[in-house]
Amino acid sequence: MSALALRQVGRAIRAGVSTWELDLLAEEVIRSEGGKPAFKGYGGFPGSICASVNDQIVHGIPSRAVRLQEGDILSVDTGAIVDGWVGDNAWTFPVGEVSAEKRHLMEVTEACMWAGIAAACPGNRLGDIGHAVQSMAEANGLGVVREYVGHGVGRAMHEPPNVPNYGRRGTGMELCAGMVLAIEPMINLGTHKTRAMPDGWLVCTRDGKPSAHFEKTIAITEDGPVLLTVEPDHERPL
Ligand code: MG
């Protein structure tokens, strides 16, 4: 359901649309399917989506004042609670035609997410996920955000363990079947360093260069990772 909301928001993205309108749409989709927006009211967050434009990394509050412009990239993060269980996912969308460097950033960040997911196999360790993401990002000259990380998902949106997007092979907690994780690389075109903004939510890149964010909730099974937030338009083989 969170994937359906994300897909519908993605389809509505165009120049001139406000992030507040996208937030309304996500909430409508989630509630019409019988779910509850997981983000709304979480720690006091006012929206059903996080909407983060260009150099904004994560946790942008949807606003009537933020209207998308041709050439922007928009990271949308949304979650739904269905029968008491949380799904959490994110995607970075282009607004019309975007620059080659933004396209590169989006493509590599998505590939980092798939590399992290592919490493989520029983017998591997948390550090293997982080290593898979970090090595791909850095080989492409991009910066891996350190302060914000993936996480376990269950009846609560954020459960242990933390799932960093950096790390060393063979280190950290052993992964086993039955774990449910949100794998969510946040990757910057420039420095990995971040800047927390005064509203207490929004996080931007320190150098003002763009950032991308892709996330899926997955379950680890004996046969490997299985996607729980499935987004038909963007589905890729593992
Ligand atoms: Mg998450």
Side-chain angles (χ1 to χ4, degrees):
M1 189 180 301
S2 53
L4 180 66
L6 189 57
R7 178 156 62 100
Q8 300 284 29
V9 168
R11 283 182 173 161
I13 287 174
R14 57 182 60 84
V17 169
S18 73
T19 55
W20 180 75
E21 290 167 87
L22 298 175
D23 184 64
L24 287 184
L25 173 61
E27 180 166 0
E28 189 181 297
V29 170
I30 291 167
R31 292 204 192 275
S32 71
E33 295 286 319
K36 263 175 43 185
F39 292 11
K40 197 155 197 161
Y42 187 90
F45 190 80
S48 296
I49 62 171
C50 297
S52 310
V53 186
N54 295 331
D55 66 317
Q56 301 177 347
I57 302 170
V58 284
H59 305 163
I61 295 175
S63 166
R64 286 182 177 86
V66 178
R67 287 196 180 274
L68 300 175
Q69 297 182 16
E70 177 84 14
D72 285 345
I73 58 172
L74 175 68
S75 298
V76 178
D77 193 345
T78 191
I81 306 171
V82 183
D83 298 330
W85 298 95
V86 177
D88 185 7
N89 62 176
W91 202 265
T92 300
F93 299 94
V95 182
E97 282 299 311
V98 303
S99 67
E101 62 179 11
K102 282 179 172 171
R103 189 153 289 285
H104 173 70
L105 170 69
M106 289 191 295
E107 286 171 4
V108 173
T109 307
E110 183 189 347
C112 287
M113 177 188 71
W114 291 117
I117 290 171
C121 294
N124 276 358
R125 291 179 177 271
L126 273 176
D128 293 309
I129 296 176
H131 175 79
V133 171
Q134 182 179 19
S135 55
M136 181 169 290
E138 292 180 353
N140 283 280
L142 303 176
V144 176
V145 171
R146 307 290 204 273
E147 294 91 337
Y148 305 88
V149 296
H151 48 93
V153 184
R155 290 195 177 273
M157 184 156 61
H158 293 112
E159 296 187 355
N162 282 339
V163 183
N165 294 303
Y166 54 91
R168 294 206 334 269
R169 273 200 188 111
T171 62
M173 177 189 285
E174 185 172 340
L175 304 175
C176 49
M179 286 178 166
V180 175
L181 304 176
I183 295 181
E184 52 172 324
M186 289 147 264
I187 306 291
N188 299 347
L189 190 61
T191 176
H192 68 81
K193 292 186 175 158
T194 66
R195 200 159 48 110
M197 303 309 281
D199 68 7
W201 286 104
L202 181 62
V203 180
C204 294
T205 58
R206 187 83 61 87
D207 60 6
K209 291 188 177 175
S211 182
H213 179 205
F214 288 78
E215 174 183 29
K216 287 190 183 290
T217 301
I218 61 113
I220 300 176
T221 73
E222 293 296 349
D223 299 326
V226 171
L227 302 178
L228 299 183
T229 48
V230 180
E231 195 184 350
D233 280 1
H234 296 293
E235 202 172 353
R236 305 274 199 284
L238 286 174

